[in-house]
């Protein structure tokens, strides 16, 4: 008997230690993503050991709270991930960047990308972020996802990044307003004159 409810995968936030434990599985996902043509900063073929090293190098940022990494698993295998990179400048604490949204090729078409994006947006808002930024290859399925999720295009830079095959492609930059900026503490009242 069907309940009529669709399966909604659990999105899990990784601690720095959990990220280190999951580095091999995350590397497998990254290698698959690059092999599938997604422009996430790496060229094809991506060496698996290089991907493992890249993920391990993210642990300090997770430990320090500069990066939040979330994953979805199918058993022991990680089928998707997304990161939220928090700004470190005092005048930018209200903003963050969505980074490395990846879905394994055999898990695509099931809404997992949108689920991960929504979880990242909610996590950012929960951390007090009011403005999110990201960039993606122009015309990619990722751009379609972001536009359909209410992101606004800032502009397109031609030849900004190479795709996994090494060809320079345009990049679309987008933002999403998560809500009002929290009220600032005005400080002590001025002294009476």
């Amino acid at each position: 008997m069907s309940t009529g409810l669709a399966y909604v995968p659990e999105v899990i936030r990784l601690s720095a230690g959990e990220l280190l434990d999951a580095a091999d599985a995350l590397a497998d996902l990254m290698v698959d993503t690059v092999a599938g043509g997604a422009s996430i900063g790496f060229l094809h073929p991506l060496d698996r050991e290089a991907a493992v090293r890249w993920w391990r190098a993210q642990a300090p940022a997770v430990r320090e709270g500069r990066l939040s990494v979330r994953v979805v698993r199918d058993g022991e295998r990680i089928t998707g991930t997304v990161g939220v990179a928090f700004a470190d400048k005092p005048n930018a604490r209200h903003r963050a960047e969505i980074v490395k949204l990846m879905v394994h090729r055999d898990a695509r078409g099931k809404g997992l990308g949108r689920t991960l994006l929504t979880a990242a947006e909610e996590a950012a808002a929960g951390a007090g972020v009011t403005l999110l930024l990201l960039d993606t290859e122009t015309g990619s399925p990722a751009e379609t996802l972001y536009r359909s999720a209410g992101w606004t295009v800032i502009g397109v830079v031609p030849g900004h990044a190479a795709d996994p095959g090494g060809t320079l492609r345009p990049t679309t930059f987008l933002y999403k307003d998560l809500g009002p900026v929290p009220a600032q503490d005005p400080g002590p009242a001025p002294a009476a004159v």
Side-chain angles (χ1 to χ4, degrees):
M1 180 169 132
S2 172
T3 62
L5 299 176
Y7 166 72
V8 178
E10 181 182 11
V11 179
I12 302 162
R13 180 180 180 183
L14 298 181
S15 68
E18 291 167 330
L19 175 79
L20 290 171
D21 291 343
D24 287 316
L26 285 162
D28 290 340
L29 173 61
M30 182 177 274
V31 167
D32 176 77
T33 301
V34 172
S39 182
I40 57 168
F42 299 92
L43 299 177
H44 180 70
L46 174 59
D47 177 70
R48 186 179 182 283
E49 288 309 310
V52 170
R53 285 191 303 275
W54 187 89
W55 280 108
R56 287 185 179 149
Q58 306 315 303
V62 171
R63 188 175 299 107
E64 295 163 9
R66 294 181 288 118
L67 176 66
S68 176
V69 176
R70 286 171 163 67
V71 299
V72 171
R73 296 180 189 270
D74 180 5
E76 290 302 310
R77 188 175 74 133
I78 293 177
T79 55
T81 188
V82 66
V84 179
F86 297 95
D88 61 353
K89 294 179 180 64
N91 71 340
R93 306 288 167 137
H94 66 288
R95 71 178 188 241
E97 184 178 358
I98 299 296
V99 295
K100 301 296 183 267
L101 175 59
M102 294 180 256
V103 175
H104 197 283
R105 284 181 286 179
D106 66 12
R108 292 182 187 162
K110 301 173 186 173
L112 189 52
R114 184 172 300 275
T115 297
L116 285 160
L117 180 60
T118 299
E121 291 172 0
E122 290 171 355
V129 169
T130 59
L131 178 66
L132 283 173
L133 303 163
L134 63 78
D135 65 83
T136 191
E137 184 179 330
T138 302
S140 67
E143 181 183 2
T144 302
L145 167 65
Y146 301 136
R147 285 175 179 255
S148 72
W151 286 70
T152 302
V153 172
I154 299 167
V156 175
V157 177
H160 180 264
D163 66 14
T167 302
L168 291 179
R169 301 279 187 204
T171 298
T172 301
F173 289 81
L174 302 100
Y175 76 93
K176 189 167 192 179
D177 183 349
L178 297 180
V181 174
Q184 300 295 315
D185 180 358
V193 256

